[in-house]
Amino acid sequence: MGNRFYDLPYHAFPQSDGITVVCPDCGRAGTVCFDRERGVAVFRCSGCFRRRETVPDGGHTFEITAQCSRTGRYFRATAPRGKVRGQRVWVRCPVCGELVLGEAAKGEAPRGVVLSDIRHGEDPYFHYPLYFQADYRGRTVWAQNRAHLQYLIDYLSAELRTVRPGFGRTYGTMRAQSDRLPAFMKTAKNREGMVKLLTRLQKKR
């Protein structure tokens, strides 16, 4: 039996774990976290110990969950309060741009961030470049932090990928963390090259 990998649930890497970014002052690794209690995003640098805070745009308050009809990929998005009417909302897939109907969360969602908000290789609060990112055949590959980076390496290097028995009962969902990954990362012809690239990123200090 080959190398077996048990996948993690869809929300395995919450915003509270932090997003590792490049400090604009010293160039070393810093962390961006969202403080739910205070409603602010906080940046801390491990190199120069710089600390900054910002209040996220309160306009994007509703969370939308959808499944792309073209790629089959589940994703989450946010929508301005004024554009949400009822529980079904049209949103675009962040991977292929397909317009699909999503479910709006009931009530007002916390002013946090989901992984689909991390676009263009930067964090969504301060817009600092992600620390763990690189180009692979014209596409930007990134990891939220070291734990997320290790997950990507373990998932892509495994010969057999599955979930543990009772996954749905344990986590309340059958959606796995790998559902977030774009198709090109999971393609067999790219996996070896992707693992080598991610392993190089892992050596950054």
Side-chain angles (χ1 to χ4, degrees):
M1 183 178 293
N3 177 23
R4 182 188 295 264
F5 176 81
Y6 291 103
D7 211 340
L8 300 177
Y10 193 70
H11 305 304
F13 299 98
Q15 60 190 18
S16 57
D17 287 352
I19 304 170
T20 306
V21 299
V22 178
C23 175
D25 296 319
C26 70
R28 298 184 65 179
T31 303
V32 173
C33 294
F34 181 74
D35 187 331
R36 287 182 178 273
E37 292 185 3
R38 299 170 55 223
V40 299
V42 181
F43 165 74
R44 297 183 181 87
C45 178
S46 59
C48 63
F49 306 106
R50 178 62 63 91
R51 175 188 170 96
R52 292 174 180 159
E53 295 186 356
T54 187
V55 178
D57 178 9
H60 292 73
T61 57
F62 282 88
E63 183 177 281
I64 314 299
T65 302
Q67 181 181 20
C68 179
S69 57
R70 179 180 296 176
T71 66
R73 178 180 182 268
Y74 286 94
F75 64 93
R76 291 194 296 167
T78 52
R81 170 184 289 188
K83 293 187 178 181
V84 175
R85 296 290 185 273
Q87 290 300 109
R88 301 283 283 176
V89 182
W90 286 101
V91 290
R92 291 194 180 277
C93 172
V95 176
C96 69
E98 180 82 359
L99 194 63
V100 296
L101 270 176
E103 293 284 345
K106 295 181 179 179
E108 186 169 332
R111 291 179 301 175
V113 65
V114 293
L115 288 184
S116 59
D117 289 328
I118 302 177
R119 300 186 180 97
H120 311 300
E122 59 185 27
D123 83 271
Y125 298 121
F126 299 91
H127 305 291
Y128 295 159
L130 298 186
Y131 192 72
F132 299 114
Q133 70 166 307
D135 179 83
Y136 183 80
R137 297 182 178 179
R139 296 175 180 264
T140 300
V141 176
W142 57 265
Q144 178 184 351
N145 50 36
R146 285 196 181 276
H148 186 217
L149 180 61
Q150 185 62 59
Y151 164 83
L152 294 175
I153 294 172
D154 293 342
Y155 175 84
L156 294 172
S157 61
E159 296 178 21
L160 179 62
R161 302 162 191 83
T162 186
V163 296
R164 294 187 183 278
F167 183 93
R169 293 192 303 275
T170 300
Y171 299 111
T173 179
M174 284 306 298
R175 288 184 289 171
Q177 178 67 202
S178 58
D179 290 333
R180 294 183 180 274
L181 303 182
F184 84 90
M185 289 186 68
K186 297 185 281 187
T187 302
K189 66 179 181 179
N190 290 333
R191 287 201 293 265
E192 183 177 354
M194 289 290 304
V195 170
K196 290 180 179 179
L197 175 66
L198 295 169
T199 301
R200 289 198 297 271
L201 287 179
Q202 198 176 39
K203 296 178 182 178
K204 293 184 67 175
R205 298 296 176 188

